[in-house]
C-alpha cells in the first residue's frame, strides 16, 4: 500500500458528527449560528447579520457534552491503571517464574515505569479516551523525533533506559491517523497524515513486511524517507481505539435545547429588570413649536422620564371630527409586559440536561443529590453507567497492552537485541471508578471481600481508595510497626517477670535463712 492509497483509504473512513462534537466539547456552542435553534432572521433579510451577532453575544451555554465525556473518561482512566508483565508461556498451578524470567520481568517493569512517569503517558491516555468518546475513533502513535535519528534513520542505544528515552507518544487527531486494511492482503497498515511547520504535506505509513516480518516506516511527500526496519514481533507503531461515539445526534439536540433555555432565561432576566411599557391613547410630554416661515405649530415630544422619583403628566390624545374641530380627548392607558416565570426555562433546562444524562447512561449523576430517590434506583442507575463503560474499557486495555509491548520491543531493537522480551506479555487493567458510593454499598464491598467474593484491591477501589498500591504499603508498614510494638511489649513483660521471679527467689532465701540467723544471734 503506497502513501496515496493509504491517505485515500484514511479519508474514506467516516467520522459522522466529528466537527460538531469536537466544537461542543471544546466550548464552541455557537458554531457559526448552526448550533442555535431559537428564532433567527430569514436568509438575506436586511440587518440579519446584526441580529445574529446580537444573539451570539447574548448566548448562554452549559457544556453538558464536555461534562458527560469527562465523567465517562474519568471512570475508565481517571485513576492510574494497574499494569505489569507476565510470561507468555502458561504456568502450572503453583509454578513461579524462574529467577531469570523474574529478572527480565523486573527489568521491563522498572524501565517502563520511568517512561510512564517522565512522558506522562497516563495523561495521553486520558486525552485519547476523550477523543474516542466524542469522535468514535482515536489513535496512538509511538515515534522517535527525526532529530534523534542517525543518518540511516535508526537509533543506536547502549542501554534499555537510553533506548526508551528517545521514545515519545503522540495523540493525533482522529481524521489524521488510524489503521487501514489492504484489500489485497487483508493486512493492516498504520497511516498518519500531517502538515509540517513549513506547510508541506506528509504521510507516514507503517506496515509489516510479509517476507521478513519487520516493521517498515515510510514517510512520503516531497522526498520519500525510509526508516530502518524494526523487528517488533509484527507490531505496528500506530494503534487505534474504536467504539460508537458517546455523543449522538440526540445528545447534540438536547445540548442545543439546553443552551436555548439558558439563553432565554437570561433574556427573561433582562425583561424583568427593564419592563416594557406600551402607552395607548396618550399625548407624550412636550411642547408646540411654531415654524418661523409657515407660522404653523408642530408638537415636539420630550423624552419620557423613567426611574425612581420621576413624574410624567400624560394627557389623552385629542379626538377631532371631520372638520378638524376637537370634540374630546381619549382616555390614556399604560400597559406592562410581565416576564415569563423562570420555572418555564428552568424546567426546560432541567429536562434537556436529564435527557443528555439518560442518553449517555449517566442518570446516576442526576439522582445523586435527590433525597426522594431510593437506594435501589441509585444502584440501578450506577449499574447502568458501569455497564456502559465496557466498550471503552476493552479498547483502552488493548491499547495499553500495545503501548507497553511495542515500546519495549522498540527499545530492545534500538539496543541491538530484537526479540529480547518476546517471552513477556503485558497486563493492563483499568481501575474503574464510577464515583462515590453510599454507606450501604461500602458495607456490601467489605462483606464481599471478607467472603472472598472480591479481592482486597477491588474492594479498596470500590470504597474510594485511589492508589491501592500505596495504601497496601501503608497497611503493611502499620502491621510491621504493630508487630514490633507487640514484640517490644512482650520482651518488656518477660523482663519484668524475670526480675519479679528473681526477687521472689531472693525473698524466699532470706525467709529460709531467718531462723538460722535468729538462733546464731541467740
Amino acid at each position: 500500500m503506497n502513501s496515496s492509497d493509504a491517505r485515500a483509504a484514511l479519508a474514506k473512513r467516516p467520522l459522522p458528527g466529528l466537527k460538531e462534537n469536537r466544537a461542543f466539547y471544546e466550548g464552541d456552542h455557537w458554531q457559526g449560528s448552526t448550533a442555535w435553534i431559537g428564532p433567527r432572521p430569514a436568509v438575506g433579510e436586511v440587518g440579519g447579520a446584526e441580529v445574529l451577532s446580537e444573539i451570539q453575544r447574548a448566548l448562554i451555554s452549559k457544556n453538558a457534552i464536555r461534562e458527560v465525556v469527562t465523567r465517562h473518561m474519568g471512570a475508565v482512566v481517571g485513576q492510574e491503571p494497574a499494569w505489569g508483565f507476565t510470561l507468555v508461556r502458561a504456568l502450572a498451578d503453583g509454578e513461579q517464574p524462574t529467577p531469570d524470567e523474574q529478572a527480565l520481568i523486573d527489568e521491563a517493569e522498572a524501565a517502563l515505569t520511568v517512561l510512564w512517569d517522565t512522558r506522562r503517558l497516563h495523561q495521553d491516555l486520558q486525552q485519547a479516551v476523550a477523543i474516542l468518546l466524542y469522535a468514535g475513533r482515536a489513535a496512538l502513535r509511538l515515534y522517535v523525533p527525526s532529530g534523534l535519528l542517525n543518518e540511516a534513520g535508526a537509533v543506536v542505544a547502549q542501554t534499555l533506559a537510553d533506548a526508551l528515552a528517545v521514545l515519545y507518544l503522540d495523540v493525533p487527531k482522529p481524521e489524521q491517523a488510524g489503521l487501514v486494511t489492504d484489500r489485497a492482503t487483508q493486512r493492516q497498515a498504520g497511516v498518519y497524515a500531517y502538515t509540517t511547520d513549513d506547510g508541506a504535506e506528509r504521510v507516514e505509513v507503517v506496515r509489516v513486511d510479509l517476507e521478513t516480518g519487520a516493521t517498515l516506516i515510510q514517510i512520503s511527500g516531497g522526498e520519500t524517507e525510509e526508516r530502518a526496519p524494526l523487528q517488533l514481533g509484527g507490531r505496528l507503531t500506530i494503534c487505534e481505539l474504536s467504539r460508537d461515539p458517546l455523543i449522538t445526534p440526540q445528545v447534540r439536540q438536547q445540548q442545543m435545547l439546553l443552551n436555548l433555555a439558558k439563553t432565554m432565561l437570561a433574556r427573561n432576566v433582562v425583561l424583568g429588570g427593564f419592563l416594557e411599557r406600551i402607552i395607548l391613547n396618550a399625548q407624550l410630554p412636550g411642547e408646540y413649536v411654531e415654524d418661523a416661515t409657515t407660522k404653523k405649530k408642530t408638537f415636539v415630544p420630550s423624552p419620557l422620564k423613567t426611574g425612581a422619583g420621576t413624574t410624567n403628566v400624560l394627557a389623552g390624545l385629542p379626538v377631532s371630527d371631520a372638520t378638524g374641530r376637537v370634540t374630546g380627548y381619549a382616555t390614556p392607558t399604560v400597559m406592562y409586559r410581565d416576564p415569563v416565570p423562570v420555572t418555564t426555562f428552568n424546567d426546560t433546562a432541567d429536562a434537556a440536561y436529564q435527557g443528555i444524562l439518560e442518553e449517555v447512561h449517566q442518570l446516576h449523576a442526576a439522582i445523586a443529590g435527590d433525597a426522594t430517590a431510593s437506594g435501589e434506583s441509585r444502584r440501578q442507575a450506577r449499574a447502568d453507567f458501569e455497564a456502559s463503560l465496557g466498550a471503552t474499557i476493552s479498547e483502552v486495555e488493548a491499547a495499553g497492552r500495545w503501548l507497553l509491548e511495542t515500546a519495549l520491543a522498540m527499545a530492545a531493537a534500538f539496543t541491538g537485541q530484537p526479540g529480547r522480551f518476546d517471552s513477556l506479555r503485558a497486563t493492563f487493567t483499568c481501575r474503574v471508578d464510577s464515583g462515590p458510593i453510599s454507606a450501604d454499598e461500602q458495607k456490601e464491598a467489605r462483606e464481599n471481600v471478607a467472603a472472598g467474593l472480591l479481592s482486597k484491591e477491588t474492594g479498596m477501589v470500590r470504597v474510594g481508595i485511589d492508589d491501592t498500591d500505596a495504601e497496601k504499603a501503608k497497611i503493611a508498614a502499620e502491621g510491621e510497626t504493630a508487630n514490633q510494638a507487640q514484640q517490644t511489649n512482650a520482651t518488656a513483660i518477660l523482663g519484668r517477670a524475670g526480675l519479679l521471679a528473681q526477687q521472689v527467689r531472693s525473698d524466699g532465701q532470706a525467709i529460709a535463712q531467718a531462723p538460722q540467723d535468729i538462733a546464731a544471734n541467740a
Side-chain angles (χ1 to χ4, degrees):
M1 179 180 289
N2 57 40
S3 60
S4 59
D5 291 340
R7 180 188 281 273
L10 184 65
K12 289 180 180 178
R13 302 183 62 190
L15 285 167
L18 171 62
K19 180 180 177 181
E20 295 84 356
N21 289 351
R22 180 159 53 201
F24 276 124
Y25 177 80
E26 293 177 351
D28 180 6
H29 287 231
W30 179 247
Q31 299 181 29
S33 83
T34 60
W36 171 252
I37 61 174
R40 61 170 61 234
V43 177
E45 181 178 334
V46 177
E50 290 76 9
V51 173
L52 282 178
S53 178
E54 181 62 22
I55 295 174
Q56 180 182 8
R57 186 190 66 81
L59 178 69
I60 304 296
S61 63
K62 172 183 172 66
N63 202 340
I65 283 181
R66 186 180 185 94
E67 176 189 328
V68 298
V69 168
T70 302
R71 184 179 294 115
H72 188 114
M73 178 271 291
V76 177
V77 288
Q79 299 186 44
E80 288 269 357
W83 61 268
F85 284 89
T86 186
L87 298 176
V88 172
R89 70 178 182 88
L91 295 175
D93 291 341
E95 182 185 5
Q96 297 296 323
T98 66
D100 289 342
E101 291 173 335
Q102 188 59 52
L104 195 65
I105 292 174
D106 294 341
E107 180 185 4
E109 291 181 348
L112 282 174
T113 297
V114 175
L115 178 70
W116 182 275
D117 293 339
T118 56
R119 293 286 182 264
R120 301 174 65 87
L121 300 185
H122 184 212
Q123 285 78 1
D124 289 335
L125 273 181
Q126 290 177 330
Q127 180 184 355
V129 172
I131 294 174
L132 172 66
L133 293 175
Y134 70 69
R137 200 166 74 217
L140 296 172
R141 170 176 168 260
L142 275 170
Y143 72 103
V144 177
S146 58
L148 301 180
L149 299 170
N150 60 22
E151 295 180 354
V155 174
V156 178
Q158 300 299 319
T159 66
L160 187 63
D162 293 339
L164 289 172
V166 301
L167 277 180
Y168 289 80
L169 182 65
D170 184 25
V171 186
K173 294 180 179 179
E175 64 270 32
Q176 285 185 299
L179 299 180
V180 297
T181 302
D182 188 343
R183 291 185 177 181
T185 62
Q186 287 300 304
R187 295 296 185 95
Q188 285 189 320
V191 183
Y192 173 50
Y194 62 100
T195 304
T196 61
D197 293 339
D198 57 2
E201 299 290 333
R202 295 285 188 269
V203 179
E204 176 181 298
V205 179
V206 184
R207 61 185 179 86
V208 176
D209 187 88
L210 296 179
E211 296 181 358
T212 65
T215 299
L216 307 178
I217 302 176
Q218 182 185 71
I219 301 175
S220 60
E223 295 183 1
T224 300
E225 300 178 30
E226 295 278 356
R227 299 289 169 85
L230 295 172
Q231 292 295 338
L232 304 180
R235 299 180 181 88
L236 300 175
T237 57
I238 293 178
C239 172
E240 182 178 277
L241 298 81
S242 178
R243 59 152 288 166
D244 292 336
L246 184 70
I247 308 306
T248 61
Q250 289 71 29
V251 173
R252 292 196 296 271
Q253 291 167 4
Q254 296 283 359
Q255 176 68 74
M256 289 186 284
L257 175 60
L258 175 59
N259 293 344
L260 174 63
K262 291 288 186 182
T263 302
M264 297 308 295
L265 176 61
R267 176 67 176 168
N268 196 60
V269 171
V270 173
L271 293 177
F274 301 92
L275 293 177
E276 292 184 2
R277 304 174 183 87
I278 301 176
I279 302 174
L280 303 176
N281 298 322
Q283 177 71 62
L284 293 175
E287 59 181 350
Y288 285 92
V289 178
E290 181 179 329
D291 187 272
T293 304
T294 63
K295 303 301 181 179
K296 184 179 179 180
K297 292 184 178 181
T298 304
F299 183 78
V300 179
S302 300
L304 186 67
K305 299 177 182 179
T306 59
T310 61
T311 302
N312 292 284
V313 178
L314 303 177
L317 287 172
V319 179
S320 304
D321 59 13
T323 63
R325 184 172 62 87
V326 177
T327 60
Y329 292 89
T331 302
T333 59
V334 178
M335 299 176 61
Y336 291 92
R337 179 185 174 187
D338 291 330
V340 179
V342 296
T343 54
T344 300
F345 308 107
N346 286 333
D347 290 346
T348 303
D350 291 344
Y353 178 64
Q354 182 164 323
I356 293 174
L357 296 181
E358 290 175 349
E359 196 68 31
V360 299
H361 306 281
Q362 295 183 15
L363 192 57
H364 70 290
I367 67 177
D370 187 357
T372 63
S374 66
E376 183 60 28
S377 63
R378 293 190 181 95
R379 184 192 302 272
Q380 291 177 358
R382 184 187 297 276
D384 181 49
F385 174 54
E386 291 175 349
S388 72
L389 302 176
T392 308
I393 291 172
S394 60
E395 290 295 309
V396 172
E397 292 183 345
R401 291 190 295 270
W402 165 86
L403 173 60
L404 298 174
E405 292 176 357
T406 306
L408 197 59
M410 292 177 73
F414 294 161
T415 58
Q417 305 175 78
R420 179 169 177 242
F421 297 96
D422 284 354
S423 61
L424 304 183
R425 63 179 178 88
T427 61
F428 195 96
T429 305
C430 295
R431 290 173 172 165
V432 178
D433 179 13
S434 58
I437 63 176
S438 65
D440 291 339
E441 289 173 317
Q442 292 185 22
K443 179 181 178 182
E444 181 181 343
R446 290 192 295 269
E447 291 173 349
N448 286 335
V449 171
L453 301 176
L454 282 179
S455 68
K456 289 185 178 180
E457 183 168 349
T458 302
M460 288 179 175
V461 173
R462 289 281 179 90
V463 299
I465 297 174
D466 294 335
D467 193 340
T468 56
D469 292 335
E471 195 66 26
K472 286 188 290 187
K474 290 179 182 178
I475 293 173
E478 290 174 356
E480 182 65 25
T481 302
N483 289 335
Q484 292 177 355
Q486 290 177 354
Q487 292 177 0
T488 301
N489 291 338
T491 301
I493 291 172
L494 291 175
R496 288 196 297 270
L499 291 174
L500 182 61
Q502 182 178 0
Q503 184 176 356
V504 169
R505 287 196 299 271
S506 299
D507 292 345
Q509 292 175 357
I511 293 172
Q513 185 66 28
Q516 299 177 8
D517 293 341
I518 294 171
N521 291 331

